[in-house]
Amino acid sequence: TEDAIKAELGKKEHEMSVFGIGPAGEHLVKFAAIVGDRGHVAAHNGPGAVLGSKKLKAVAVARGQNRIPLKDGEKLSTLAKQWIDNIKANPGMLDVYNWGTLQGVVGGTKAGWLPIKNYTTNIFPGDAAALSKFSAENIRATFNPKPHPCWACQMHHCHIMTVPDGQYAGQTIEEPEYEGFSAWGPVIGNTDVSSAAVLANEVDRLGIDTNESGWLIGFVMECYEKGLLTKKDTDGLEMNWGNAEAARQMLHKVANRQGLGNILADGLMRASQKLGGEAAKLAIYTKKGNSPRGHDHRSNWSEMFDTCTSNTGTIESTSFVSRKLFDMPPMTDIFSPEQIVMKVGKTKGTMPFEDSLGVCMFNSRTDMPAIIEAINAATGWDFTFQEAMGVGRRAVNLMRAFNIRHGLTAENDAPSPRYSSTPVDGMAKGKSIAEAFPEMRAKYHEMMGWDKETGKPLPETLKGLGLDKVAKDLWG
């Protein structure tokens, strides 16, 4: 699509951005994505299906020649340089600067949050040699990467690369993010890094969300292994753990709503409910219908809690924000319900504020004072930390009000049984958030200024954020 539109309009590669939908968006797959610039994707919650429903294939924007006016461009440039210097001086951030998110599979294995075989285990399915193939060092050494950064970005993050071996050898693909490798490696029990990289690109070309697609195929594979789905159900595909080619063919069925793919195209929650029985217990999702990021959140309760209580089915607060900014003591127990509610409630809105600026979290890592200083340099404002949190909180409450108006309730702020299941091995063995979740949710609602039982933002909370009309809409 991108090539065809640029050719038709006589534009070279860097003279135009094209963001469009693939067959999944055209067939109204509920988790369809909008994809552009060779693999930059807006996928969560199915925006591609929205474009598809409006018969809109793509949006093309030619590069302009005018400059955006800045109040103090020199200061903004100085701040940007300081930002990069700070990243290079921080060992944790330097890893991201050098490798992007490629360290995730190996790092997640060591830290205990790598999702494996649809949450049936926390033990990597291959040996040490297979795991090392997923390392950043091996991928950059063997896939012949060529830099393909976001506009003017210095981070060594995005690359175009070539598959070196296997049945897909020679294919030119974009370097997958961690969550692409997570979905198409350990989540589906695949230990071959080349086929995982190809599948991560296949979902972009089809125009579907890599996270939900990974959980979906992992779910199908577990059902197949347990005899809950047969070869007849899967249209002759052998959906055993790690069968990358069968996964690729099933993804095409999903994107085109063919056979079993027509059921799966309605998303993991609805598909599992339709299949019913034991199968319904194996799906990983929030009860709003979203699938989480490509992590095993059973060892990261704060991110699971944030994901389930958020309005978008993904995180709205962040692990990287300075706790001192919010007058919070260090976290002493990652499985403490009280500490988790405090952390999520206090920092809620940090990521919507950051997202509203269009800046990259891998550059900023929610360094809010630096972001605010940059805003003031660009605009000449005297913007404050309190105002920044107001922006984030306003977004959170607007989305919350929208969801409530459209029928979501406090009961939807919860994980599915498999999502909140008790790990049988690994660092979180024997621990589950499920029993504590209802009380945590009630305390969180109260902390946010929402009705404790329903999660409905109270009139005074909305009015305090300048949302008087929304208060009237919700409460009369």
Side-chain angles (χ1 to χ4, degrees), residues 323-343:
R323 298 178 72 87
K324 289 182 181 178
L325 274 174
F326 296 90
D327 194 27
M328 284 191 293
M331 200 162 186
T332 58
D333 182 3
I334 62 171
F335 299 112
S336 164
E338 295 78 15
Q339 292 186 42
I340 287 164
V341 171
M342 178 64 67
K343 175 188 173 184

Side-chain angles (χ1 to χ4, degrees), residues 436-458:
F437 201 95
E439 186 177 349
M440 291 172 68
R441 178 176 58 203
K443 287 180 178 177
Y444 166 76
H445 288 166
E446 193 171 27
M447 189 175 180
M448 289 294 293
W450 301 345
D451 181 78
K452 190 175 179 179
E453 300 302 322
T454 66
K456 192 173 173 180
L458 295 170

Side-chain angles (χ1 to χ4, degrees), residues 16-38:
M16 173 171 278
S17 277
V18 177
F19 277 75
I21 59 172
E26 294 171 9
H27 290 97
L28 307 186
V29 174
K30 289 192 185 295
F31 48 101
I34 300 171
V35 183
D37 290 347
R38 309 286 172 206

Side-chain angles (χ1 to χ4, degrees), residues 193-235:
V193 67
S194 292
S195 61
V198 167
L199 287 173
N201 277 260
E202 197 81 356
V203 295
D204 287 354
R205 289 176 175 271
L206 293 170
I208 41 181
D209 176 28
T210 200
N211 279 330
E212 179 136 11
S213 299
W215 297 123
L216 192 71
I217 297 300
F219 162 78
V220 169
M221 286 182 169
E222 185 178 353
C223 287
Y224 189 84
E225 291 277 355
K226 290 182 174 178
L228 303 175
L229 288 173
T230 66
K231 202 170 179 179
K232 181 180 178 181
D233 298 318
T234 60
D235 306 314

Side-chain angles (χ1 to χ4, degrees), residues 154-186:
Q154 296 184 40
M155 304 277 270
H156 307 156
H157 191 174
C158 304
H159 294 77
I160 298 295
M161 59 190 202
T162 305
V163 180
D165 52 28
Q167 69 182 102
Y168 309 110
Q171 285 194 28
T172 300
I173 59 175
E174 182 168 90
E175 178 181 278
E177 293 288 339
Y178 155 72
E179 294 188 35
F181 275 123
S182 167
W184 305 112

Side-chain angles (χ1 to χ4, degrees), residues 40-53:
H40 292 255
V41 182
H44 208 74
N45 297 316
V50 177
L51 264 65
S53 72

